[in-house]
Amino acid sequence: MLKIILARLQQGHQTMKYPDGPPPKLPDRFRGCPKLNADKCSNGCNACVGACPTGAIVVKDNHPSIDMGKCLFCAECEKVCPEKAITFSDEYYLAARKRQDMIAAGNQPTKPCDVVMERDIRKLFGRSLKLRQVSAGGCNACEADTNVLGTLAWDLGRFGIQFVASPRHADGLLITGPVTQNMHLALKKTYDAVAEPKIVIAVGACAISGGPYIDHEQVKNGADAVVPVDLYIPGCPPHPLTILDGLIRFLGRKGCN
């Protein structure tokens, strides 16, 4: 025990300062909120539409828009656009309360949406939020990035947010995966087991829209086909910083430094 204490003292403070300080450095390959320049989209090639594997892009009157709930952030659209009308920024704050708030459109500046939960619910959960994580047919990528938040550097517990083993101990659900037919009933029963009032958070493109499996006969195209969703966090998978930012802003804490 003494060796453990001494080692811990030598290591010092490991938890990141975010959100009170700057966010951690993101990898060079990180792709955040897409930026669209409608002025450059003038030749009507629609190459981006054909390249998108999930149908997330719509071009109308040479004005492109991207549904970030469907977007896999694969950047294939950026690669094929001859005019570079689509680029991906390093903006990590992507969470939204409403599905329609996840549309990135040309020449419209992107900014973090107000994702704070309703006041009455916030009074109950603002200082302590217990979540039951449900993998509804996910590939484990979103699940892995969610689990990272429990490590020493991220320390999700310092915000009063914890994952629990039973829905009967939870204030809500954090759902990943496209909700397969085999998980449909299990998700519904898990939701029903959570006491009122309760919240639902959909993490990742699969949980929001079905992701790469969208419209497949074996999936429900996301969580809100089965249960009401209060917060959407897009990505494939979303970076742990994107998930953390969405959760703490949902609780009314500071974020988006």
Side-chain angles (χ1 to χ4, degrees):
M1 178 61 73
L2 181 58
K3 289 183 178 180
I4 294 175
I5 295 174
L6 290 174
R8 187 65 185 88
L9 291 173
Q10 290 174 352
Q11 290 172 357
H13 186 74
Q14 298 293 314
T15 304
M16 68 182 65
K17 295 182 179 180
Y18 182 84
D20 296 327
K25 180 177 174 56
L26 294 167
D28 293 337
R29 63 183 181 276
F30 175 78
R31 301 187 187 109
C33 186
K35 301 289 187 180
L36 297 92
N37 189 333
D39 295 332
K40 292 183 177 181
C41 185
S42 58
N43 61 10
C45 70
N46 286 347
C48 57
V49 176
C52 182
T54 59
I57 303 176
V58 174
V59 178
K60 185 177 181 180
D61 299 327
N62 290 331
H63 282 70
S65 63
I66 297 181
D67 183 346
M68 289 190 290
K70 293 181 178 181
C71 182
L72 303 183
F73 294 80
C74 64
E76 289 300 313
C77 54
E78 182 181 26
K79 294 176 184 177
V80 302
C81 179
E83 306 298 334
K84 301 302 179 185
I86 301 175
T87 58
F88 284 83
S89 72
D90 60 357
E91 293 180 0
Y92 58 85
Y93 35 88
L94 303 175
R97 284 291 307 275
K98 298 178 181 178
R99 187 68 181 83
Q100 59 267 30
D101 288 338
M102 306 182 72
I103 307 298
N107 291 344
Q108 293 183 8
T110 56
K111 58 183 179 180
C113 299
D114 179 13
V115 301
V116 180
M117 67 176 75
E118 286 85 357
R119 183 169 181 172
D120 291 344
I121 302 297
R122 185 181 166 194
K123 286 173 64 177
L124 290 175
F125 302 149
R127 295 180 63 86
S128 177
L129 181 64
K130 312 298 183 186
L131 297 172
R132 175 68 171 106
Q133 200 277 323
V134 179
S135 177
C139 70
N140 284 333
C142 293
E143 293 84 348
D145 278 358
T146 300
N147 290 340
V148 164
L149 296 177
T151 60
L152 182 64
W154 296 89
D155 192 14
L156 189 64
R158 62 193 162 114
F159 303 105
I161 307 173
Q162 294 179 330
F163 292 105
V164 294
S166 169
R168 299 191 184 279
H169 300 160
D171 302 312
L173 304 180
L174 187 148
I175 303 171
T176 56
V179 188
T180 61
Q181 293 288 3
N182 286 342
M183 281 300 298
H184 176 203
L185 181 59
L187 176 59
K188 183 66 171 61
K189 286 186 175 182
T190 303
Y191 176 79
D192 291 341
V194 180
E196 296 283 356
K198 51 192 169 185
I199 60 175
V200 174
I201 301 166
V203 173
C206 286
I208 296 173
S209 65
Y213 314 104
I214 188 169
D215 292 334
H216 192 284
E217 63 180 5
Q218 291 299 322
V219 304
K220 294 292 183 180
N221 285 352
D224 58 7
V226 182
V227 296
V229 176
D230 301 284
L231 181 67
Y232 300 91
I233 304 178
C236 186
H239 192 277
L241 182 58
T242 298
I243 302 173
L244 177 62
D245 170 77
L247 291 176
I248 61 177
R249 285 196 289 126
F250 191 51
L251 292 175
R253 313 287 180 84
K254 184 171 67 172
C256 298
N257 281 8

